[in-house]
Amino acid sequence: MRLSNTTPANIILPLILLEALIFGGSVYLAVALRFIGETELRGINSVMANAIAYASVMLPSMAAMGLYQLRSREDPIGMFARVLAAFAFGGTLSIILFYVFPSLYLGRGVFFLAMLFSLLAVGTLRPLFFQFVDERAPSFRLLVLGAGERAANIPSKLRRRSDRRGIQIVGFLPAENENIMIDKSMLISRSSTLLETAKAQAIDEIVVAQDERRASMDMQELLQCKLAGINIIDLPTLFERQAGKLKLDLLTPSWLIFSEGFRLDPISQTAKRTFDLTMSTIISILSSPVMLLAAIAIWTESGFKGPILFRQPRVGEGGQLFNVLKFRSMQTDAEADGKARWAQENDDRITRVGRFIRKTRIDELPQCWNVIKGEMSFVGPRPERPEFVQTLTQNIPYYDIRHIVKPGLTGWAQLSYPYGANEKDAAEKLKFDLYYVKHQSLRFDMIILLRTVEIVLFGKGAR
């Protein structure tokens, strides 16, 4: 039986539920083996409470390592390395939880067995799950209207298996007088109405991707398909859903105007501000020893002279300028000529201490003060220098849209794309920034915050 509601967004839910059962069940199994033949569970108040607590720690730890991404392109070895990192991170958090809440204490023997059983189960079942999803799981069956230049973006940009998880492209239906740019084997001949063609192919969704939409698209036929329960989307929406970004060359002002998103209601804005203040305060307190050591290291390396903090103008919400705070990671004469430069890989302006604090993101910690002041948010597009923004706004379409929200300490683009060091990188990162601006929510912020742990531990994207 084929499920018509299988989408990339909900494919991952069964995996989360399965691993939640694994984590909880591992605690029960560990307790059963540890106390086999005994009538009393020494040191354990409630197995159910312990199982829920363990699963509640391990699931966010897995998410923080990027293990609930459908678009992951890592090989099995890289994926298993992330699983090990997640277990190390989750195990540490579990130990802290035991000390904060002694009633949840499992005991070293039970805890070790639970970790071992869950690691073996996750390491075995996770590859099988993704193999099933890729090869046998029911997928959304897509029919593409069009076979020209716009439609050709689909096979060229969604060519990897991870890009197409949750969908099956049944074929392309050419429009009249259209220059065919799709392989003939993927073309579908139309012998009847669009609705009958879609029903014959068991289509769940139609993607409108014709080069000349107004001239060749029959709105009445599309309406019949929609009323028959077939979803209708356009090409930008397909890329937005599958790739987690907006494809700039497919966007139009009308699409931006009429598409949902790009706004936060007052309640969501208040929740986001509360989240920002809470997280910035907590991280400032917890990281204060690290910041003190960083300050001492910077001051020592510079011969006990020179600034420890670095202030630099950046463009914030609404195009307003503010001074971002960072630990100084470059030499004091890094831009002695007054010319703004992108940071490059192996940049010789970066000091030894600076290279470490940039790699571990310690240099960004003082920006918690910018968040508390309301100049930044905890999550959002990274703020850019006004010298760069002026050029990027002129050369990259829709670049100024990223300034309708506050810039952030971390963001969706930082998770999805390496460090930007030129105009081309800025254009690629904008695709992810616009996706965030369109879909911003407290839930999305929490997901980004969890995955930022992965960025810090693996040192991705830092220069």
Side-chain angles (χ1 to χ4, degrees):
M1 177 181 179
R2 185 171 53 83
L3 300 178
S4 61
N5 64 342
T6 304
T7 63
N10 61 29
I11 287 175
I12 210 69
L13 181 60
L15 177 62
I16 295 174
L17 294 176
L18 174 63
E19 292 187 339
L21 291 174
I22 288 175
F23 292 129
S26 295
V27 173
Y28 275 93
L29 180 59
V31 169
L33 290 180
R34 175 65 179 82
F35 296 100
I36 189 169
E38 300 184 26
T39 58
E40 182 181 355
L41 302 179
R42 299 184 304 277
I44 296 181
N45 296 322
S46 171
V47 179
M48 179 177 290
N50 289 124
I52 293 174
Y54 179 62
S56 298
V57 169
M58 292 304 301
L59 288 174
S61 299
M62 298 281 284
M65 294 300 113
L67 288 167
Y68 294 126
Q69 305 176 65
L70 275 179
R71 293 183 294 275
S72 177
R73 296 168 182 169
E74 284 189 309
D75 57 25
I77 295 177
M79 186 65 67
F80 188 67
R82 289 181 182 272
V83 171
L84 290 177
F87 271 76
F89 182 59
T92 302
L93 292 181
S94 297
I95 292 172
I96 295 174
L97 184 68
F98 296 155
Y99 280 99
V100 175
F101 300 100
S103 61
L104 297 177
Y105 183 71
L106 273 175
R108 286 173 295 181
V110 174
F111 180 61
F112 173 78
L113 289 174
M115 290 280 288
L116 178 62
F117 294 152
S118 54
L119 176 60
L120 292 175
V122 168
T124 301
L125 294 178
R126 178 171 272 269
L128 296 177
F129 174 85
F130 282 110
Q131 182 179 353
F132 174 81
V133 168
D134 290 336
E135 297 178 1
R136 298 182 180 85
S139 302
F140 234 39
R141 292 175 59 85
L142 267 62
L143 172 65
V144 181
L145 285 189
E149 183 179 356
R150 285 173 59 85
N153 281 281
I154 297 176
S156 64
K157 301 300 182 182
L158 299 179
R159 59 186 181 275
R160 296 179 177 88
R161 177 182 291 181
S162 59
D163 296 327
R164 298 192 182 193
R165 276 186 180 144
I167 64 172
Q168 179 186 351
I169 300 173
V170 177
F172 295 77
L173 191 62
E176 294 182 7
N177 303 320
E178 191 173 38
N179 183 23
I180 306 298
M181 299 183 67
I182 297 295
D183 188 280
K184 291 183 179 180
S185 63
M186 289 297 296
L187 299 180
I188 290 180
S189 59
R190 177 172 169 176
S191 57
S192 55
T193 66
L194 179 60
L195 178 58
E196 290 173 343
T197 303
K199 285 184 175 180
Q201 298 290 340
I203 298 300
D204 298 304
E205 188 168 70
I206 293 175
V207 181
V208 180
Q210 296 165 323
D211 290 339
E212 298 293 336
R213 293 174 59 180
R214 294 183 180 180
S216 57
M217 185 168 55
D218 191 327
M219 299 301 294
Q220 186 63 35
E221 285 200 309
L222 284 176
L223 178 60
Q224 290 175 353
C225 292
K226 185 175 181 65
L227 294 177
I230 299 173
N231 195 34
I232 311 293
I233 65 171
D234 55 15
L235 195 55
T237 302
L238 174 67
F239 279 98
E240 174 189 356
R241 186 182 69 194
Q242 295 299 130
K245 61 182 180 181
L246 303 188
K247 205 167 184 303
L248 298 181
D249 56 345
L250 297 177
L251 299 185
T252 62
S254 61
W255 187 89
L256 293 168
I257 291 171
F258 292 108
S259 63
E260 296 181 359
F262 293 107
R263 64 180 297 273
L264 273 181
D265 58 77
I267 295 178
S268 298
Q269 289 177 339
T270 301
K272 184 175 177 65
R273 181 59 182 155
T274 303
F275 173 78
D276 287 342
L277 289 172
T278 302
M279 291 306 305
S280 296
T281 302
I282 291 174
I283 289 180
S284 295
I285 294 173
L286 294 179
S287 64
S288 56
V290 176
M291 288 195 282
L292 178 60
L293 291 174
I296 294 173
I298 293 169
W299 199 40
T300 302
E301 187 181 34
S302 62
F304 305 102
K305 58 183 179 181
I308 294 173
L309 290 175
F310 178 66
R311 293 174 174 84
Q312 189 178 69
R314 297 290 175 99
V315 178
E317 185 180 19
Q320 298 295 313
L321 296 182
F322 71 99
N323 285 320
V324 71
L325 284 175
K326 299 178 71 174
F327 280 123
R328 182 173 61 84
S329 59
M330 289 189 175
Q331 301 166 3
T332 53
D333 59 350
E335 293 181 354
D337 57 359
K339 184 178 180 180
R341 296 183 182 88
W342 298 91
Q344 302 294 326
E345 191 170 359
N346 300 319
D347 199 317
D348 58 7
R349 298 174 298 166
I350 301 175
T351 64
R352 287 177 298 177
V353 173
R355 198 168 302 282
F356 175 77
I357 63 175
R358 289 170 77 97
K359 195 72 174 177
T360 56
R361 308 295 172 129
I362 293 173
D363 65 321
E364 310 281 2
L365 290 174
Q367 290 170 39
C368 287
W369 178 241
N370 291 116
V371 177
I372 292 173
K373 289 173 64 178
E375 298 167 331
M376 294 177 63
S377 178
F378 206 84
V379 177
R382 287 295 295 154
E384 275 296 353
R385 301 175 65 173
E387 298 92 337
F388 298 149
V389 168
Q390 184 177 5
T391 302
L392 295 173
T393 302
Q394 293 174 351
N395 297 337
I396 302 176
Y398 311 114
Y399 189 84
D400 55 337
I401 294 179
R402 72 196 300 274
H403 298 131
I404 68 174
V405 299
K406 291 179 181 179
L409 261 168
T410 185
W412 184 237
Q414 279 62 49
L415 299 178
S416 306
Y417 193 82
Y419 190 96
N422 51 50
E423 191 173 301
K424 181 182 177 182
D425 288 340
E428 287 298 318
K429 294 187 75 170
L430 178 63
K431 299 175 183 180
F432 296 99
D433 283 334
L434 293 184
Y435 181 89
Y436 172 78
V437 173
K438 186 175 188 291
H439 295 276
Q440 59 178 314
S441 66
L442 187 58
R443 173 182 171 273
F444 198 11
D445 285 0
M446 294 291 289
I447 293 172
I448 292 172
L449 180 60
L450 280 173
R451 286 193 51 200
T452 299
V453 177
E454 171 197 358
I455 296 293
V456 173
L457 292 180
F458 286 89
K460 293 170 58 178
R463 286 186 184 174

